[in-house]
C-alpha cells in the first residue's frame, strides 16, 4: 500500500490467524474503543496453545486457562470469526492447520500473534509474528504499520547428506548466523537443497527463522508448492485453480534478485544436530562434543556458555552421544506434520522406548492424527511405548499439563530450548523427529546415520 | 498509547545477552486475560528461589536497584516468543525504558506500543552505562525522547535513533489504530481491487 510521511507504510493483511493466548486483550481493547472486526472472513481462530492433549471430553482442568478458551469462543461468536475449537475435527496448531486447509497461499501477507508465523513463508508469503496490540490493529483495520525490512538470502547449496533433514538445515542455519544474526531481515531461502525439500520440510525450515533473529523467512513458490495446494479445502477449484496457479507462480523470485546480504550454507557441512545449551545456536553435530570454555572466543561467550551448561546440568567437553535423556517430545509447529511422524515411526518401528524414558507423540492437527492412524503410525508408536496424543502445542511451551519436571532432560522436536521453556527447570535438546525417536529407543542421543547402516531403517 | 516524553530514573543492570521473553514472563502467567498484574511475575524463574523468596544472587534483587525504572542490558533483548505480556510485565515491574545494544524485533514493537521506550545504544555506550550503574550507587539518567538523548547529572552520555513514526506516537500518545482508520478510504479502495482468487475463511469453521 501507499507510503506515509513517517517512513511507515500501511500493509494490508490477507490472512490473520488468531489463538487463545495472545488475543483476549486485543478483543477487550477493541470493545473498549467501540471498534469491531473489519474482516472476519480473512480471519481464522484456533484453540491450540493451552489445550489438553488427552481426555478432551472432560472440562479443561485449569480454570484460568478455561476462561481464556471461553473468551476466544465468545469473541469469535460475537464477531463472526470461524473457530476451530477443542472438539473440531481439524483443530490443531495454528501453523499446521493454515497450510493444511489451504488458506496459506503464495503472495499473501499472513500474521498471527505468535512468533513462529514465518512457517507460512514456505509458500512464498510474507508471514510474521505480531504482538497483542498489533492483533488488535489487524482486527480493527486489517492493516499494520510497517517499515520495509532489509533482505537476506540464505542459500543452501549442494545435496543433503543421508540422514540429514530439514530440521538439521534449520539448526545449521542458526548455528551459522547466531540467534541475532538475521535480526530484522526478511530471509529468502534458496539453493538446490531448498528446491528439493517437500512442503513439510520447507515449513520446518521457515518455522525456525525467528530463532536466527530474522523477521520472516520465505521460499519462492514452485511446482512443489502448487502440488501441495491442489485439492486443499480453501484452494480454488477447476479453472480457478489454473488461474490461481498462474498467479502464484508469478510471485516466484526473479532470477538474479539482489539481496542486502547473502549467506551460503554448504549442505556438506550439515549433520544431524543436537542443541546442548539454552539457545538454538548452542548446537553441535551428534558426533561431536559440547565445546570447552577455553575454546570460546571471548569472556562474554564463556559466561553465557557457562551459565547455559550450569542450567543444563552438563559439563564442557561431554560427547553429545553420552547425554542420557528422560523424556522425548515429538510435536510442535516445527515437526508435527505427517512426514515428521513417518520419519520418527520409521526409527521406532519394532523397537521399544528405553525403560528410563517417557516419550510422547503429539500430532500437529486432527487431520495429521487421522492420516497417521490410517497409515498405522499410531500403532507403531504405541507398540514401541510412545504415548499417542490429541493435537496441540503441548510440551513445546508447556501451558497445558504436558511439562517437564525440574532437571528432567528432553529430546524435543520443537523450536526453543530456552530456560524453563518446557517446564520450570526442564532441560531441552532440540533435534529432528528421527533423532528424537532414536534417542527414545536408546535412552541417549545416537547418530541416526549409524542406525541406518546397522538397523536397516 | 501511554506517552513518553522525558523520564529520569535509577538505572539497574542485567548483564546478559539474549534475554528471552520466556524469562521476562514465564508461560504459566500467560493465562490471564487482562494487561495488568504481571509485574510480580516479571523474571519469575530468576527472581525467586524454589521457596518463592527473592533470590539474592539475581542481579536485579540487589537492594541498590530497588525502585529502578531504567534497565541496562545486553544484545538481542526480548528474543523469542511474541508475547506482549513481556512488555506489560516490565512496565508492571516499574520500568519505563530499556537500554540495550539491540532488541528483538517483535519485542521492540510491543514495547513501543505500550510506552516502554527501547533505547538502542552502541555496545561501548551500553558498557559505559553498565559500569556507571554498577559503581555509582543511586546513579540516575534522564532519557529525553525529543532530543533522543541520554544524560546524567554531569551532562551528555549518548544519543539514540528512533523512527519518526514511533517518536511522534510516543510524544503525543497517538493511537496507531486511529491513525490507520484515517486512511479508511484507501484501505477500502485497496479491498475493492484485491484479486477474487484470494481465499476467505468464512466457511471454514463449519467444515
Ligand atoms: S507449537 Fe510451540 S512454537 Fe508452535 S505455535 Fe505452538 S507454542 Fe508456538
Amino acid at each position: 500500500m501507499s507510503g506515509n510521511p513517517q517512513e511507515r507504510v500501511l500493509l494490508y493483511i490477507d490472512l490473520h490467524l488468531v489463538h487463545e493466548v495472545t488475543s483476549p486483550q486485543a478483543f477487550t481493547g477493541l470493545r473498549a474503543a467501540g471498534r469491531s472486526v473489519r474482516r472476519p472472513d480473512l480471519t481464522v481462530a484456533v484453540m491450540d496453545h493451552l489445550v489438553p492433549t488427552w481426555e478432551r471430553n472432560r472440562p479443561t482442568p485449569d480454570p484460568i486457562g478455561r476462561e481464556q478458551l471461553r473468551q476466544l469462543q465468545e469473541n469469535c461468536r460475537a464477531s463472526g470469526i470461524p473457530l476451530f475449537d477443542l472438539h473440531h475435527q481439524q483443530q490443531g496448531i495454528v501453523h499446521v492447520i493454515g497450510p493444511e486447509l489451504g488458506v496459506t497461499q503464495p503472495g499473501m501477507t499472513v500474521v498471527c500473534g505468535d512468533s513462529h508465523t514465518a512457517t507460512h513463508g514456505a509458500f512464498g508469503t510474507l508471514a510474521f509474528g505480531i504482538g497483542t496490540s498489533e492483533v488488535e490493529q489487524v482486527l480493527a483495520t486489517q492493516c499494520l504499520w510497517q517499515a520495509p525490512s532489509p533482505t537476506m538470502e540464505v542459500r543452501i547449496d549442494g545435496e543433503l547428506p543421508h540422514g540429514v533433514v530439514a530440521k538439521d538445515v534449520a539448526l545449521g542455519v542458526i548455528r551459522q548466523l547466531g540467534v541475532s544474526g538475521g535480526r530484522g531481515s526478511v530471509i529468502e531461502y534458496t539453493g538446490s537443497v531448498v528446491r528439493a525439500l517437500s512442503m513439510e520440510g520447507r515449513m520446518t525450515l521457515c518455522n525456525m527463522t525467528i530463532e536466527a533473529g530474522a523477521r520472516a523467512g520465505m521460499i519462492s513458490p514452485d511446482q512443489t508448492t502448487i502440488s501441495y495446494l491442489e485439492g486443499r479445502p480453501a484452494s480454488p477449484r477447476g479453472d480457478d485453480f489454473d488461474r490461481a496457479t498462474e498467479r502464484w507462480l508469478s510471485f516466484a523470485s526473479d532470477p538474479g534478485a539482489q539481496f542486502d546480504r547473502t549467506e551460503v550454507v554448504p549442505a556438506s557441512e550439515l549433520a544431524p544436530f543436537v542443541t546442548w545449551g539454552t539457545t538454538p545456536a548452542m548446537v553441535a553435530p551428534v558426533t561431536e562434543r559440547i565445546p570447552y570454555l577455553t575454546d570460546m572466543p571471548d569472556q562474554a561467550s564463556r559466561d553465557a556458555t557457562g551459565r547455559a551448561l550450569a542450567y543444563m546440568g552438563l559439563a564442557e567437553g561431554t560427547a553429545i552421544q553420552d547425554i542420557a535423556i528422560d523424556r522425548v517430545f515429538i510435536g510442535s509447529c516445527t515437526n508435527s506434520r505427517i512426514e515428521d511422524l513417518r520419519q520418527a515411526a520409521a526409527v521406532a518401528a519394532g523397537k521399544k522406548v528405553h525403560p528410563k524414558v517417557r516419550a510422547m507423540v503429539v500430532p500437529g492437527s486432527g487431520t495429521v492424527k487421522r492420516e497417521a492412524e490410517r497409515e498405522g503410525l499410531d500403532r507403531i508408536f504405541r507398540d514401541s511405548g510412545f504415548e499417542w496424543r490429541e493435537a496441540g502445542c503441548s510440551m513445546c511451551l508447556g501451558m497445558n499439563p504436558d511439562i517437564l519436571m525440574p532437571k528432567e532432560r528432553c529430546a524435543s522436536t520443537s523450536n526453543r530450548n530456552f530456560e524453563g521453556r518446557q517446564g520450570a527447570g526442564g532441560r531441552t535438546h532440540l533435534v529432528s523427529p528421527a533423532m528424537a525417536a532414536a534417542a527414545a529407543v536408546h535412552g541417549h542421543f545416537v547418530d541416526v546415520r549409524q542406525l541406518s547402516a546397522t538397523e536397516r531403517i | 498509547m501511554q506517552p513518553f516524553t522525558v523520564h529520569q530514573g535509577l538505572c539497574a543492570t542485567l548483564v546478559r545477552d539474549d534475554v528471552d521473553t520466556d524469562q521476562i514472563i514465564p508461560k504459566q502467567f500467560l493465562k490471564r486475560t487482562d494487561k495488568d498484574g504481571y509485574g510480580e511475575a516479571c523474571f519469575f524463574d530468576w527472581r525467586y528461589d524454589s521457596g518463592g523468596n527473592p533470590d539474592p544472587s539475581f542481579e536485579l534483587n540487589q537492594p541498590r536497584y530497588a525502585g529502578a525504572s531504567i534497565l541496562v542490558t545486553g544484545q538481542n533483548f526480548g528474543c523469542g516468543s511474541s508475547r506482549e505480556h513481556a512488555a506489560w510485565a516490565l512496565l508492571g515491574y516499574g520500568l519505563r525504558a530499556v537500554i540495550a545494544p539491540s532488541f528483538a524485533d517483535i519485542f521492540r514493537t510491543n514495547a513501543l506500543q505500550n510506552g516502554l521506550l527501547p533505547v538502542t545504544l552502541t555496545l561501548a555506550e551500553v558498557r559505559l552505562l553498565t559500569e556507571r550503574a554498577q559503581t555509582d550507587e543511586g546513579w540516575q539518567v534522564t532519557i529525553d525522547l525529543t532530543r533522543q538523548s541520554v544524560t546524567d547529572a554531569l551532562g551528555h552520555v549518548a544519543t539514540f535513533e528512533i523512527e519518526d513514526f514511533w517518536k511522534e506516537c510516543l510524544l503525543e500518545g497517538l493511537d496507531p489504530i486511529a491513525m490507520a482508520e484515517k486512511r479508511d478510504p484507501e484501505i477500502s479502495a485497496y479491498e475493492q481491487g484485491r484479486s477474487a482468487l484470494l481465499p476467505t475463511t468464512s466457511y471454514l469453521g463449519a467444515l
Side-chain angles (χ1 to χ4, degrees):
Chain A
M1 281 201 79
S2 53
N4 89 2
Q6 295 154 320
E7 303 168 6
R8 291 263 145 170
V9 296
L10 212 44
L11 182 71
Y12 194 84
I13 303 304
D14 294 312
L15 176 66
H16 184 194
L17 303 155
V18 172
H19 66 84
E20 71 273 29
V21 177
T22 58
S23 68
Q25 293 88 349
F27 282 104
T28 307
L30 206 65
R31 271 194 303 274
R35 295 178 169 124
S36 56
V37 177
R38 183 182 178 98
R39 295 298 300 264
D41 61 327
L42 302 183
T43 312
V44 62
V46 63
M47 297 177 175
D48 60 354
H49 275 61
L50 55 70
V51 298
T53 55
W54 63 344
E55 299 191 325
R56 282 251 168 106
N57 291 326
R58 299 226 216 134
T60 306
D62 158 18
I64 316 177
R66 202 158 64 218
E67 172 59 13
Q68 220 170 47
L69 296 174
R70 193 197 66 76
Q71 286 202 13
L72 183 65
Q73 189 120 39
E74 179 50 31
N75 288 330
C76 288
R77 197 197 53 74
S79 48
I81 295 172
L83 168 69
F84 291 85
D85 71 8
L86 212 57
H87 303 291
H88 198 287
Q89 288 255 316
Q90 281 152 320
Q91 176 269 347
I93 304 170
V94 61
H95 308 310
V96 175
I97 69 167
E100 201 170 73
L101 295 165
V103 276
T104 304
Q105 299 176 4
M108 291 170 61
T109 52
V110 180
V111 296
C112 174
D114 182 279
S115 58
H116 291 97
T117 308
T119 313
H120 305 264
F123 291 79
T125 69
L126 176 62
F128 53 91
I130 56 176
T132 299
S133 296
E134 290 178 310
V135 169
E136 186 177 332
Q137 176 169 353
V138 178
L139 289 173
T141 65
Q142 204 60 29
C143 291
L144 272 182
W145 292 108
Q146 290 291 303
S149 305
T151 58
M152 181 171 171
E153 176 186 26
V154 173
R155 195 166 73 230
I156 306 135
D157 281 331
E159 205 178 314
L160 282 187
H162 175 66
V164 176
V165 293
K167 181 62 163 287
D168 302 309
V169 180
L171 288 170
V173 168
I174 298 163
R175 182 185 195 223
Q176 184 164 328
L177 293 183
V179 289
S180 57
R183 194 176 49 252
S185 318
V186 172
I187 291 177
E188 179 177 340
Y189 296 100
T190 65
S192 48
V193 165
V194 176
R195 292 271 72 92
L197 284 178
S198 66
M199 285 316 293
E200 275 88 350
R202 292 178 186 187
M203 285 188 256
T204 300
L205 177 58
C206 287
N207 173 275
M208 289 197 65
T209 305
I210 182 90
E211 309 308 335
R215 182 164 177 65
M218 55 171 69
I219 292 171
S220 184
D222 59 12
Q223 200 48 50
T224 305
T225 325
I226 306 300
S227 309
Y228 179 97
L229 282 165
E230 188 157 14
R232 302 267 154 197
S235 283
R237 312 206 171 258
D239 289 350
D240 275 353
F241 187 80
D242 298 336
R243 274 196 290 276
T245 298
E246 200 179 314
R247 185 167 179 274
W248 292 336
L249 290 175
S250 76
F251 295 113
S253 296
D254 302 332
Q258 295 292 307
F259 297 87
D260 296 329
R261 180 177 156 199
T262 294
E263 282 280 335
V264 178
V265 179
S268 55
E269 287 177 15
L270 300 174
F273 285 114
V274 180
T275 66
W276 48 262
T278 52
T279 78
M282 293 175 170
V283 63
V286 61
T287 46
E288 290 184 12
R289 292 174 179 278
I290 295 172
Y292 290 94
L293 294 182
T294 45
D295 292 344
M296 297 271 138
D298 53 48
Q299 192 56 38
S301 32
R302 269 190 291 281
D303 289 350
T305 306
R307 215 165 27 231
L309 291 179
Y311 179 84
M312 294 297 287
L314 291 169
E316 53 179 325
T318 305
I320 299 285
Q321 301 197 48
D322 289 344
I323 301 173
I325 54 152
D326 310 302
R327 303 281 297 266
V328 168
F329 171 64
I330 297 175
S332 90
C333 58
T334 314
N335 281 132
S336 63
R337 298 179 181 83
I338 189 67
E339 193 176 277
D340 302 314
L341 303 193
R342 286 184 194 133
Q343 288 170 8
V347 173
K351 309 197 189 72
K352 290 282 178 221
V353 169
H354 190 276
K356 292 208 174 114
V357 174
R358 182 177 163 202
M360 63 198 263
V361 183
V362 184
S365 69
T367 309
V368 169
K369 181 165 188 264
R370 279 189 303 282
E371 173 58 20
E373 287 170 353
R374 200 187 60 75
E375 296 179 18
L377 305 184
D378 62 319
R379 272 200 316 283
I380 294 177
F381 286 123
R382 283 188 218 260
D383 290 350
S384 303
F386 287 83
E387 295 167 32
W388 178 248
R389 298 295 190 94
E390 302 287 340
C393 294
S394 179
M395 212 161 73
C396 174
L397 90 167
M399 276 190 76
N400 71 353
D402 308 336
I403 54 169
L404 294 181
M405 292 296 119
K407 302 197 174 169
E408 268 190 327
R409 189 179 298 290
C410 180
S412 176
T413 66
S414 56
N415 41 54
R416 285 197 175 127
N417 51 344
F418 297 159
E419 288 183 27
R421 171 77 181 180
Q422 296 190 292
R427 296 158 171 172
T428 302
H429 297 269
L430 304 177
V431 288
S432 72
M435 284 286 288
V441 169
H442 291 263
H444 59 88
F445 292 109
V446 291
D447 185 349
V448 281
R449 294 168 300 189
Q450 296 299 321
L451 293 186
S452 318
T454 56
E455 301 180 28
R456 286 192 294 121
I457 294 158
Chain B
M1 166 176 285
Q2 183 182 356
F4 189 109
T5 47
V6 180
H7 174 78
Q8 182 182 354
L10 181 71
C11 286
T13 63
L14 181 60
V15 185
R16 43 182 104 185
D17 291 339
D18 307 317
V19 172
D20 61 78
T21 53
D22 275 83
Q23 301 317 316
I24 299 173
I25 182 86
K27 62 192 148 266
Q28 62 268 36
F29 303 105
L30 306 185
K31 294 178 183 172
R32 311 238 326 268
T33 52
D34 38 27
K35 294 185 180 182
D36 304 316
Y38 297 96
E40 285 299 305
C42 192
F43 297 119
F44 189 86
D45 290 347
W46 288 343
R47 193 165 147 201
Y48 304 105
D49 62 20
S50 49
N53 300 308
D55 181 345
S57 70
F58 179 51
E59 213 171 338
L60 294 180
N61 283 343
Q62 300 172 72
R64 58 181 301 172
Y65 287 157
S69 59
I70 297 168
L71 184 70
V72 183
T73 186
Q75 297 189 52
N76 199 27
F77 185 82
C79 61
S81 157
S82 64
R83 56 189 73 165
E84 198 159 315
H85 310 66
W88 303 331
L90 293 167
L91 283 165
Y93 186 79
L95 297 179
R96 282 308 316 275
V98 182
I99 299 176
S102 61
F103 292 90
D105 186 53
I106 305 177
F107 171 80
R108 185 170 178 276
T109 305
N110 288 341
L112 289 161
Q113 293 271 11
N114 289 278
L116 173 72
L117 188 69
V119 177
T120 310
L121 298 183
T122 65
L123 202 54
E125 286 163 343
V126 170
R127 286 215 180 104
L128 188 81
L129 284 166
T130 305
E131 262 174 49
R132 287 297 301 275
Q134 287 176 340
T135 50
D136 201 350
E137 187 161 347
W139 188 59
Q140 300 211 345
V141 298
T142 300
I143 301 173
D144 184 332
L145 181 56
T146 310
R147 293 162 184 267
Q148 298 175 210
S149 68
V150 182
T151 51
D152 69 1
L154 299 175
H156 176 84
V157 178
T159 49
F160 58 92
E161 294 294 321
I162 184 166
E163 305 92 314
D164 292 346
F165 175 84
W166 286 116
K167 185 174 176 178
E168 194 181 325
C169 284
L170 284 165
L171 286 175
E172 291 171 31
L174 297 178
D175 170 11
I177 301 182
M179 291 165 68
E181 281 172 338
K182 283 196 197 128
R183 309 279 289 272
D184 187 69
E186 287 165 81
I187 299 173
S188 297
Y190 179 80
E191 282 177 328
Q192 293 298 319
R194 284 175 83 239
S195 167
L197 291 167
L198 282 162
T200 64
T201 59
S202 329
Y203 62 99
L204 282 176
L207 279 172

